[in-house]
Amino acid sequence: ETGVTQTPRHLVMGMTNKKSLKCEQHLGHNAMYWYKQSAKKPLELMFVYSLEERVENNSVPSRFSPECPNSSHLFLHLHTLQPEDSALYLCASSQSQGGAREQYFGPGTRLTVT
Amino acid sequence: KQEVTQIPAALSVPEGENLVLNCSFTDSAIYNLQWFRQDPGKGLTSLLLIQSSQREQTSGRLNASLDKSSGRSTLYIAASQPGDSATYLCAVRPGLTGGGNKLTFGTGTQLKVEL
């Protein structure tokens, strides 16, 4: 247990569905991250929230919409996805300033788009 | 643009062997480097973090070294065990002051330790 939880752990959705991924951290951190991990590719950073403000958006398609209502929770809203969006989606958290800013990861949500 | 490379991509060793995993990065202006372990279909577990001012970090059977000027880090695993089988990832945080939030990851080394 790293102190970062993600739900659901597995999700299968059609291209016309709308679903949301949830991440919660219990570490007192104030920065949260969404990453995408596709087969045989490096982890890709999607979004970064620091002190509940989005500070990075790495050219992610608008069919992915993040939401950070407070420093402990992060959501990724999904709609009209494509089969190539099938991947492992990982959430992470860290301190946003000072120190090593070591990132702690959740177990991920395995998403399959049919 | 920072690029991180890990060699080899896959490695299979007998139990008990000492082994070295390699990570190289193209931009030496890093704040720190982190080694992670990932089991199949799971999230990442942080193993060791080395600040740019440090040369190495140790945790149990693991030792990570950093040579920032040459853009290289190694992860040494002593007396390998089947439970060490996993994918090992390295990631660098950019910038001399750590102001960036973005970690750049390598593609990982998939390790299998056989009985």
Side-chain angles (χ1 to χ4, degrees), chain B residues 2 4 6 8 22 36 64-65 70 81 83 95 98-99 103:
Chain B
Q2 177 75 274
V4 179
Q6 290 186 247
N22 297 292
F36 295 89
S65 68
S70 66
Q81 303 170 358
L103 287 180

Side-chain angles (χ1 to χ4, degrees), chain A residues 27-33 35 45 48-51 55-56 92-105, chain B residues 30-36 46 48-52 54 91-105:
Chain A
L27 300 169
H29 291 158
N30 50 24
M32 297 187 78
Y33 311 76
Y35 288 89
L45 180 66
V48 181
Y49 276 83
S50 177
L51 301 172
V55 296
E56 189 140 356
S93 71
S94 75
Q95 292 298 342
S96 63
Q97 295 176 354
R101 273 168 267 176
E102 187 172 358
Q103 291 189 16
Y104 293 79
F105 283 76
Chain B
I30 66 168
Y31 186 68
N32 58 35
L33 181 146
Q34 204 167 347
W35 281 95
F36 295 89
S46 180
L48 290 163
L49 183 146
I50 312 178
Q51 296 285 64
S52 61
Q54 296 174 321
V92 297
R93 177 182 292 282
L96 299 176
T97 59
N101 290 292
K102 180 176 181 176
L103 287 180
T104 301
F105 281 83

Side-chain angles (χ1 to χ4, degrees), chain A residues 25-63:
Chain A
Q25 59 94 3
H26 309 274
L27 300 169
H29 291 158
N30 50 24
M32 297 187 78
Y33 311 76
W34 279 117
Y35 288 89
K36 176 183 178 181
Q37 188 176 34
S38 305
K40 299 188 179 177
K41 292 172 79 173
L43 266 77
E44 302 170 56
L45 180 66
M46 300 175 71
F47 301 104
V48 181
Y49 276 83
S50 177
L51 301 172
E52 298 160 42
E53 284 193 31
R54 191 190 311 179
V55 296
E56 189 140 356
N57 176 347
N58 275 358
S59 304
V60 179
S62 60
R63 57 186 183 268

Side-chain angles (χ1 to χ4, degrees), chain B residues 19-94:
Chain B
L19 58 100
V20 174
L21 307 181
N22 297 292
C23 173
S24 61
F25 45 95
T26 54
D27 186 348
S28 62
I30 66 168
Y31 186 68
N32 58 35
L33 181 146
Q34 204 167 347
W35 281 95
F36 295 89
R37 168 189 173 135
Q38 185 176 29
D39 293 286
K42 303 282 181 66
L44 278 64
T45 301
S46 180
L47 297 173
L48 290 163
L49 183 146
I50 312 178
Q51 296 285 64
S52 61
S53 59
Q54 296 174 321
R55 299 286 290 192
E56 65 179 328
Q57 283 286 340
T58 298
S59 176
R61 295 183 292 109
L62 304 179
N63 176 278
S65 68
L66 175 64
D67 184 343
K68 201 174 74 161
S69 60
S70 66
R72 285 191 287 203
S73 176
T74 61
L75 179 66
Y76 175 83
I77 303 177
S80 58
Q81 303 170 358
D84 295 330
S85 299
T87 297
Y88 291 81
L89 298 161
C90 74
V92 297
R93 177 182 292 282

